[in-house]
Amino acid sequence: RAAGRAMAAAVQGVPAAAVTKGLEPQPLWACFEQLTRIPRPSGHEQACMAWIEEFAKLRGLETQADRVGNLVVRRPGSGGGEGAPPVVVQGHVDMVCEKNAGTEHDFLRDPLSLEIDGEWLTARGTTLGSDNGIGVAAALALLDLPQEAKLPPLECLFTVDEETGLTGAFQLDGSIVRGRTLLNLDTEEWGAIYVGCAGGGESVLTLPRAMEAAPEGHVALDVSLSGLRGGHSGCDIHRYRGNALLMAAPVLRALAAQCGARLASFLSGDKHNAIPREAFATVLVPADRVTDAEALVASALAGYRQAYGKEEPGLEARVAPAEASPAQVMGAAEADKLLALLTTLPRGPLKMSHEVEGLVETSNNVASLKLMDGGDLEVVCATRSSLKASLEEVRERIATVGGLCGARVVQEPSYPGWAPNMSSKVLGIAKDQLAGIIGKEPEVLAIHAGLECGIIGEKCPGTDMVSFGPTIINAHTPDERVLIPTVQPFWDLTRKVLEQLADAK
């Protein structure tokens, strides 16, 4: 945390902005830009938390942390709100770290490189971290408001490790949170208020590689599939974008069946909550079948382009000679089981809700294929559903398919969803205030993603919650961007809701 303290000690007031200078609300943008200078991958939030602690200390604010690293910063009520019940303003500090192939960036050391593209703020070649950095920046800007600002007592709750499994929320010590009204600032569609979210759970399937000597008379080829848009495995799953891992698997299986290819390596995906954008494999093909292999991949690419059309305009599939020929390949039986697994697992949206029009009720993201330290291959699936029974039914299907393909399957307990409460007091306040800003009745929605609200509600019984935020698109990908004109009204809504809550006694 020393790095975070050093960063914060140099900032006596609101951090100075560079790229976002001149954008409004400037206090929020300045805090966000400072966040982008502090590395904060999931599980590595220490420097960022230390900076927030120092930020609070310089302003004379009380802080309290729990064992896992979640942090509450308390600001007394002001401007007539001193006697109101405390309100929790919540966001997670970690970010998904994805970068384009060829982009040199160390997420553990390097600041992000911001740029403005018309009405959008983005980062060059990497994720932006606006999910949930904008929400965290809003909370920091609230803590920095002058004492005459009308606010109830605030408990700004900064959670850790949300993106890799909601760890901070799961291990939250509920005793550090006193308020029972909560504003979650982690949704990504301006003009809508969210009152519910899906539950979810991961499945980890491990398979042996059973490597053997590479056959003679074969040529090593690198097969890649890239240029896909990817996206958030909850918010974007309904768009039916291509999953590079699942698109590459049948191509590799066809290469084995039709061209005698042997699989040497196959990797794709990284984060459980991101749709894989790229897949890379090395195969050994008989020397007299190279042309056939190239034709097969070209044919598959043509088919995929026809199937995905304008949704995946950057889709590419390439075959090229490998720089070096692998000395080993996977056993034919083991490779076939792996590819059979990947072509059989449930994927994408599996059922739409009958209760909420347009809402995906149940889905499964086949998120990654990785080589583990012990030499085994690991496939990770992230399943989501608004219904507990449906969630577990899909996870049972995954376990069954995995077992039939020779995989060892581990499934940790799933996390709960957040059930909508349409009679919520804070929802009524937020709806009225948002209607005044946008000039029409706002949408009240549930989201097919895992917000922390459901878990925090279990840790802090009786909490009345809503979630809202500015417009963010392509979260969890290097194309992530936030729509600048939606940030000011998002800030205005946050202030107006808090001003009304400051009148409560």
Side-chain angles (χ1 to χ4, degrees), residues 53-276:
E53 284 183 310
E54 193 67 21
F55 184 99
K57 179 180 177 182
L58 291 169
R59 290 153 181 78
L61 302 177
E62 175 189 349
T63 64
Q64 186 176 1
D66 65 11
R67 178 180 55 83
V68 75
N70 299 309
L71 179 70
V72 169
V73 181
R74 298 189 177 92
R75 183 190 194 275
S78 59
E82 292 84 352
V87 177
V88 183
V89 179
Q90 187 266 324
H92 64 86
V93 300
D94 62 315
M95 63 174 281
V96 169
C97 297
E98 287 278 317
K99 61 184 179 181
N100 286 325
T103 297
E104 293 188 9
H105 185 90
D106 184 347
F107 283 104
L108 292 174
R109 298 174 58 87
D110 299 336
L112 302 178
S113 180
L114 305 185
E115 60 182 2
I116 293 176
D117 180 11
E119 293 189 322
W120 300 89
L121 179 71
T122 186
R124 294 186 187 93
T126 71
T127 39
L128 174 64
S130 55
D131 170 17
N132 184 217
I134 293 291
V136 170
L140 292 169
L142 289 169
L143 293 172
D144 204 34
L145 285 172
Q147 283 303 305
E148 58 268 24
K150 184 178 181 180
L151 290 171
L154 295 182
E155 292 185 326
C156 291
L157 171 60
F158 303 99
T159 52
V160 298
D161 201 20
E162 188 265 1
E163 299 287 9
T164 59
L166 300 162
T167 306
F170 268 124
Q171 299 186 27
L172 173 68
D173 180 352
S175 68
I176 71 172
V177 180
R178 302 167 186 168
R180 286 300 180 265
T181 299
L182 184 145
L183 307 182
N184 170 276
L185 307 182
D186 189 25
T187 43
E188 300 166 3
E189 181 183 355
W190 168 247
I193 300 170
Y194 285 84
V195 295
C197 71
E202 288 188 14
S203 302
V204 179
L205 302 92
T206 306
L207 300 96
R209 285 196 303 160
M211 303 299 285
E212 60 186 47
E216 296 182 359
H218 284 54
V219 175
L221 300 176
D222 287 335
V223 180
S224 65
L225 197 149
S226 61
L228 294 168
R229 298 175 69 180
H232 190 292
S233 65
C235 301
D236 295 316
I237 201 79
H238 68 288
R239 303 183 190 279
Y240 290 93
R241 291 177 179 168
N243 179 315
L245 174 56
L246 299 182
M247 293 165 69
V251 176
L252 295 173
R253 205 173 191 201
L255 285 171
Q258 299 177 33
C259 302
R262 299 296 301 275
L263 184 63
S265 66
F266 182 22
L267 302 174
S268 179
D270 187 21
K271 308 295 188 299
H272 75 104
N273 50 10
I275 302 167

Side-chain angles (χ1 to χ4, degrees), residues 31 41 45 83 85 91 121 147 223 259 269 311 319 351 399-400 449 455 468:
C31 288
E45 305 94 340
L121 179 71
Q147 283 303 305
V223 180
C259 302
E311 188 61 34
V319 180
K351 184 176 181 297
T400 300
I455 304 167
F468 52 86

Side-chain angles (χ1 to χ4, degrees), residues 191-375:
I193 300 170
Y194 285 84
V195 295
C197 71
E202 288 188 14
S203 302
V204 179
L205 302 92
T206 306
L207 300 96
R209 285 196 303 160
M211 303 299 285
E212 60 186 47
E216 296 182 359
H218 284 54
V219 175
L221 300 176
D222 287 335
V223 180
S224 65
L225 197 149
S226 61
L228 294 168
R229 298 175 69 180
H232 190 292
S233 65
C235 301
D236 295 316
I237 201 79
H238 68 288
R239 303 183 190 279
Y240 290 93
R241 291 177 179 168
N243 179 315
L245 174 56
L246 299 182
M247 293 165 69
V251 176
L252 295 173
R253 205 173 191 201
L255 285 171
Q258 299 177 33
C259 302
R262 299 296 301 275
L263 184 63
S265 66
F266 182 22
L267 302 174
S268 179
D270 187 21
K271 308 295 188 299
H272 75 104
N273 50 10
I275 302 167
R277 298 178 297 112
E278 300 171 324
F280 304 96
T282 299
V283 296
L284 271 67
V285 178
D288 60 350
R289 304 301 301 277
V290 171
T291 301
D292 294 337
E294 292 171 340
L296 189 153
V297 173
S299 176
L301 174 61
Y304 283 144
R305 283 178 170 166
Q306 185 178 23
Y308 289 97
K310 64 182 180 180
E311 188 61 34
E312 296 292 2
L315 171 62
E316 292 289 346
R318 293 187 172 90
V319 180
E323 291 186 4
S325 185
Q328 293 184 311
V329 296
M330 285 185 67
E334 286 72 21
D336 187 61
K337 288 178 180 179
L338 168 66
L339 298 175
L341 173 69
L342 293 172
T343 54
T344 309
L345 284 168
R347 76 279 311 279
L350 301 173
K351 184 176 181 297
M352 303 299 291
S353 172
H354 295 301
E355 299 296 325
V356 182
E357 184 177 357
L359 176 68
V360 177
E361 184 176 276
T362 306
S363 73
N364 186 58
N365 180 43
V366 185
S368 63
L369 170 63
K370 299 179 182 179
L371 177 62
M372 307 309 292
D373 290 340

Side-chain angles (χ1 to χ4, degrees), residues 466-490:
V466 292
S467 180
F468 52 86
T471 294
I472 297 170
I473 63 171
N474 299 324
H476 300 184
T477 81
D479 293 324
E480 178 185 358
R481 52 191 56 213
V482 57
L483 185 58
I484 294 168
T486 65
V487 176
Q488 179 69 63
F490 156 68

Side-chain angles (χ1 to χ4, degrees), residues 409-420:
V409 183
V410 176
Q411 295 175 321
E412 297 293 334
S414 57
Y415 59 84
W418 169 27

